[in-house]
Amino acid sequence: MQTTGPHHEHAPSASPQPGKLPGIKHIIAVASGKGGVGKSTVSVNLALALQQIGGRIGLVDADVLGPSIPVMLGLSTGRPPAATPEGKIVPADRHGLKVISMGMLTGDDNPAILRGPMVSKYLRMFIDSVQWGELDYLILDLPPGTGDAQLTLAQSFPLSGAVIVTTPQEVSLKIARRGLRMFETVHVPILGIIENMSTFICPHCSKSTDVFGHGGGERMSRQFGVPFLGTIPLDAEIVTGGHAGRPIVLEKPSSLPARAYFIIATDLAGRLEGRPTTALQPFTWTWATSDGEPDWVESAVQPSGSRTTAIGFRRRDARTVSVLWEDGHRNDFDVRDLRLACRCAICVEEMSGRPLLDPKNVRPDVSPRTITLVGNYAITINWNDGHSTGIYSLELLRALGERSKAVVVEDV
Ligand code: ADP
């Protein structure tokens, strides 16, 4: 993960329509075709991830009909926010985010009953009557759907773009497609698609299961020619954290879902600041035939790049897989060594970390059948000895590589 913020390192880029909202560099809408796909959860965690990598962030719970952000951030409700002498609303400050939500005004048990025009009026007030100060990103958690409220927002403010959240299910994709078209008609660029509730990784046995299917967001991004920002796994801790006011990005920053958020946030910030993106495209790679072999993007090497962002995988020979990292290092792994390094619950005792896999039982010719990228933060390997539960996070791979000799890419 890069730890430098977008505003420290790079010249500020202008808002699409400067002057309209002074002090705010980018307004980003987070949208979904329907409710329940995790749009608010994504808005909150993405806002926090952007903040952790150095951005100054405001968050508007524009889902005025069903505000859920106060619960997710543990904000008190039913107490109207303070106002400045000039009559500007003072946003709440939570975990370093500036936040405004209808739920703060009405309380949980007193849902707002607003008609269409009123919704638009409140949304406008939430954006231009709030004392935001200087912000890199103002994130709008839009109401689900593609109706009037969303259109009003898209047309009233200089949005830098929209992020579409979808689940891998086909039915939800159909609805998300409608959202994409709506933004297109009002000329709001689509910054990308996030597939939420993707692969479920069992916390006990590390086995991955595609509960709601797989790859739908990616297919949609290809079909519409818009970026695919990544996947967030289905994870029970996202739910418990969300209900307890402790978002996973803060509570478990090294968990797989949190890492997925950091990678997406870094990618998104890079796109908005006009940096070339180094994110690998998703792959399922058949080792024996090289079918689906991923990219190897040497042009993305930056000496100050991230140590744990992979920008290439390659089959060096039948027994060696190479990984190229953004900082220019290359690691070559003997495939049997990788099999022996498996950290799944079958190979390593969960509590004590005691190895359960006896190297004597791993055949010398063990090799991958397929290698699959999981949401840009890990790979899974399906082995020819029938083993398939291992998840190798990119951090783990880099750490394994550090223990052996790393090769600098110029020497290749
Ligand atoms: P929306 O804003 O689209 O209506 P929410 O963000 O309120 O959706 O999420 C709906 C429910 O799904 C919440 O209980 C939330 O905790 C849960 N959820 C969201 N993302 C995930 C995920 N990746 N894994 C598991 N549960 C999730």
Side-chain angles (χ1 to χ4, degrees):
M1 195 200 99
Q2 286 175 339
T3 48
T4 43
H7 60 286
H8 299 313
E9 209 183 359
H10 300 272
S13 61
S15 293
Q17 288 159 282
K20 252 194 152 181
L21 284 171
I24 302 180
K25 277 203 328 196
H26 294 289
I27 306 182
I28 305 165
V30 180
S32 67
K34 62 162 196 165
V37 302
K39 175 182 49 58
S40 298
T41 310
V42 169
S43 302
V44 164
N45 282 290
L46 192 59
L48 287 166
L50 283 166
Q51 191 234 4
Q52 303 267 311
I53 63 170
R56 294 158 299 176
I57 315 293
L59 176 62
V60 175
D61 185 359
D63 194 349
V64 288
L65 299 178
S68 48
I69 282 184
V71 174
M72 290 185 187
L73 285 173
L75 283 170
S76 54
T77 55
R79 222 180 316 138
T84 65
E86 301 79 44
K88 288 252 182 192
I89 302 170
V90 180
D93 194 319
R94 193 76 184 147
H95 308 305
L97 301 180
K98 292 182 176 171
V99 191
I100 194 86
S101 163
M102 193 65 183
M104 290 157 62
L105 306 179
T106 59
D108 290 338
D109 48 357
N110 182 17
I113 300 171
L114 299 174
R115 289 176 196 285
M118 285 298 282
V119 173
S120 307
K121 192 175 147 229
Y122 271 101
L123 289 183
R124 219 186 298 253
M125 184 184 86
F126 273 2
I127 298 167
D128 57 17
S129 306
V130 172
Q131 193 184 42
W132 292 113
E134 297 278 316
L135 293 181
D136 292 295
Y137 306 109
L138 180 63
I139 313 275
L140 309 182
D141 177 22
L142 289 191
T146 51
D148 282 352
Q150 296 82 355
L151 264 179
T152 306
L153 267 175
Q155 288 170 319
S156 313
F157 297 99
L159 294 182
S160 290
V163 170
I164 309 285
V165 181
T166 182
T167 61
Q169 285 147 298
E170 183 51 29
V171 56
S172 141
L173 284 174
K174 271 193 197 129
I175 306 170
R177 256 185 219 128
R178 228 182 287 150
L180 275 176
R181 292 221 173 90
M182 181 197 84
F183 286 113
E184 265 168 16
T185 45
V186 292
H187 306 294
V188 171
I190 305 294
L191 296 169
I193 294 171
I194 296 177
E195 184 177 294
N196 188 34
M197 307 197 199
S198 212
T199 309
F200 169 70
I201 297 163
C202 173
H204 306 295
C205 71
S206 302
K207 190 169 165 47
S208 58
T209 316
D210 292 328
V211 181
F212 296 127
H214 179 76
E218 206 185 305
R219 276 195 299 279
M220 183 163 73
S221 67
R222 268 201 301 272
Q223 196 177 334
F224 283 85
V226 297
F228 182 63
L229 294 173
T231 57
I232 311 290
L234 187 75
D235 191 305
E237 285 185 324
I238 291 184
V239 184
T240 41
H243 293 181
R246 303 283 325 163
I248 193 153
V249 159
L250 290 181
E251 196 67 359
K252 297 256 165 88
S254 55
S255 63
L256 287 183
R259 267 186 264 153
Y261 276 116
F262 283 121
I263 288 167
I264 291 175
T266 308
D267 183 20
L268 190 63
R271 285 173 197 277
L272 286 164
E273 306 301 323
R275 290 199 292 275
T277 167
T278 55
L280 269 189
Q281 289 306 303
F283 60 82
T284 297
W285 173 21
T286 307
W287 182 254
T289 60
S290 293
D291 236 22
E293 188 172 49
D295 295 334
W296 182 273
V297 196
E298 279 180 32
S299 58
V301 165
Q302 314 156 26
S304 59
S306 156
R307 296 171 58 258
T308 51
T309 298
I311 54 172
F313 282 86
R314 184 177 272 176
R315 188 183 127 124
R316 192 139 296 271
D317 58 50
R319 305 293 309 161
T320 315
V321 59
S322 297
V323 184
L324 177 62
W325 303 102
E326 199 185 41
D327 66 357
H329 280 72
R330 189 190 92 204
N331 291 125
D332 295 338
F333 298 99
D334 176 83
V335 287
R336 187 168 179 274
D337 288 346
L338 272 188
R339 172 68 189 88
L340 294 175
C342 182
R343 297 277 191 278
C344 83
I346 296 169
C347 297
V348 176
E349 198 176 74
E350 228 178 320
M351 299 306 267
S352 65
R354 188 171 64 86
L356 299 174
L357 179 69
D358 183 347
K360 287 204 289 289
N361 296 333
V362 177
R363 41 193 257 213
D365 68 341
V366 72
S367 75
R369 274 200 192 112
T370 55
I371 303 179
T372 306
L373 187 68
V374 183
N376 246 328
Y377 49 84
I379 53 170
T380 55
I381 306 182
N382 198 326
W383 296 94
N384 65 355
D385 63 359
H387 190 69
S388 65
T389 54
I391 301 274
Y392 297 77
S393 70
L394 297 181
E395 263 171 46
L396 169 67
L397 280 181
R398 180 70 196 231
L400 291 172
E402 304 272 276
R403 272 181 237 152
S404 52
K405 195 175 149 293
V407 191
V408 179
V409 74
E410 285 77 24
D411 304 343
V412 180

